Amino acid sequence: MEPLLDQNRSKAVSNRKLLIVEDDIGLQKQLRWSLDQYDVVFANDRESAISQVRRHEPAVVTLDLGLPPDADGASEGLATLRQILEMMPDTKVIIVSGNSEHANAVKAVGSGAYDLHPKPIDIDMLRLVIERAFHLHALQQENRKLMTMQADSPLAGIITRDAGMLKMCRTVEKVASSSATMMILGESGTGKELIARALHTSSRRQSQKFVAINCAAIPETLLESELFGYERGAFTGAAKQTIGKIEMAHKGTFFLDEVGDLPLSLQAKLLRFLQQRTIERVGGREEIPVDVRIVCATHRNLKELAAKGQFREDLYYRLSEIVLTLPPLRERVGDAALLAHHFKNKFVRLEGRGTLSFSQEALDLIESYSWPGNIREMENCIKRAVIMAEGRQITPMDLGLMECPAEPESINLRQVRDVAECKAVLRALARMDGNIAKAADLLGVSRPTLYDIMNRHGIQAKTEKPAQELEMGLRA
């Protein structure tokens, strides 16, 4: 088992290539020992640094500005930075410099460096900065991969890595070829129309029309004629025969958005169409057969509306032969940052802004914000930020979000394991009322192992007071 674990660890490390550009041999040795969780390679001047970049394509680089032959200046370091970013624009370059080089370090950040870390080195802080740089690089690579796949996938508009969303996408592909009426549930801004279009694109009706109507956006007096059409002279102003949206979608897909806002008077007529598959235009008597697939969506709870008499229960069951539920953005693990990068890249191109990245504080805010308006809110937010950003980085102020960010969640694997381990031990001890032997059995470890874990996390074993002392304490 141990060789297998070592092999897996070696494989994981090999995927996290870190280049350290530093001419101080003693500092190189210290960093090699302190950063052993990465696959570290070294360079001590500009020529060797560029050679290592070509050979290893590192995701993250730490760069000392004072490189030979200009060890007391910054010209070689700044030239190295420019060459690295020209070759690999996505590489995250962390400037490691002394206090005397502060002005040049700030200039380097303005030229595209990811972050700045002062000397003497605080290894724990540097490790945190490097880990965040790897995380950001991985997000950007994932985003680029998704954009590359976009042209070939019927769900190309869905940008996600969340397990729940990926499962929902597979369901869409599975049911798209059926003729069942679909109900898409989800909060406003979660992409319900995007899913409806994907259902149409993946179906046998893809060569026919996709027709959409928003029931909440059309006055009740006009909605019937919009849905079913009308005959000439049916009402004042009806100068000619006009077909409705349902009839326009013949042989294709008809999407009823916000169906929960459909008036009761029209619910009965829609139910009749679903049963008979024929319509009558307003002012007409002819029954017109229509072959169309119905997809509807709503952010409202139709069962609750039916219980209150605001939505027909029989219509609800007709519309919900297959139900898809879209999770809100706040429940989609990792998708907030992924979508933020996607929209940033999109609007950078549209606005002609050149190189632009998120500051770490901006990413923390994006990941901790609740996004009540979901993806629609995020798209508008990132567009505003791209326009408002003054430098090469988008800051929290550019985002214009009112919520304060929560403490950023650790992405260091060792810290995550320690936190989870501590929580599990505390729960086991609480469940077993402090009994070490029973807690160890529950956790599946030996008593000595449990004692070691408790000592490591500073967890005290429960001590029983003598009966007399306990009695006195209760009286007090």
Side-chain angles (χ1 to χ4, degrees), residues 40-190:
V40 181
V41 293
F42 290 94
N44 52 23
D45 57 25
R46 175 160 45 135
E47 184 179 353
S48 60
I50 298 306
S51 175
Q52 294 284 50
V53 169
R54 288 196 181 102
R55 179 180 178 185
H56 297 287
E57 298 185 349
V60 180
V61 176
T62 68
L63 174 62
D64 179 18
L65 291 179
L67 297 176
D70 186 19
D72 295 327
S75 61
E76 281 296 297
L78 291 172
T80 304
L81 171 65
R82 285 193 294 271
Q83 281 189 258
I84 291 174
L85 293 180
E86 284 173 5
M87 293 168 57
M88 298 184 63
D90 288 343
T91 298
K92 305 304 168 192
V93 182
I94 302 166
I95 302 300
V96 180
S97 68
N99 292 331
S100 61
E101 301 168 337
H102 182 71
N104 287 321
V106 172
K107 183 179 178 181
V109 172
S111 298
Y114 167 71
D115 208 341
L116 168 64
H117 190 82
K119 289 183 178 179
I121 291 175
D122 179 339
I123 196 63
D124 290 331
M125 184 61 69
L126 179 60
R127 190 183 291 117
L128 178 62
V129 173
I130 291 172
E131 188 65 30
R132 285 179 166 177
F134 272 108
H135 178 61
L136 178 57
H137 184 270
L139 281 174
Q140 290 177 331
Q141 295 303 109
E142 183 71 18
N143 179 253
R144 182 166 283 104
K145 187 187 299 182
L146 288 168
M147 291 177 68
T148 303
M149 295 167 58
Q150 187 167 352
D152 301 324
S153 171
L155 300 184
I158 308 296
I159 306 296
T160 185
R161 287 188 306 182
D162 177 67
M165 277 295 293
L166 290 172
K167 182 179 179 181
M168 191 277 304
C169 289
R170 289 193 294 271
T171 302
V172 169
E173 293 175 335
K174 187 184 300 183
V175 303
S177 59
S178 75
S179 59
T181 301
M182 306 289 298
M183 171 81 74
I184 305 173
L185 304 178
E187 295 179 6
S188 295
T190 50

Side-chain angles (χ1 to χ4, degrees), residues 220-236:
E220 182 177 346
T221 52
L222 300 178
L223 188 54
E224 182 178 7
S225 58
E226 282 289 315
L227 286 172
F228 300 100
Y230 55 87
E231 298 289 353
R232 179 181 178 181
F235 49 83
T236 303

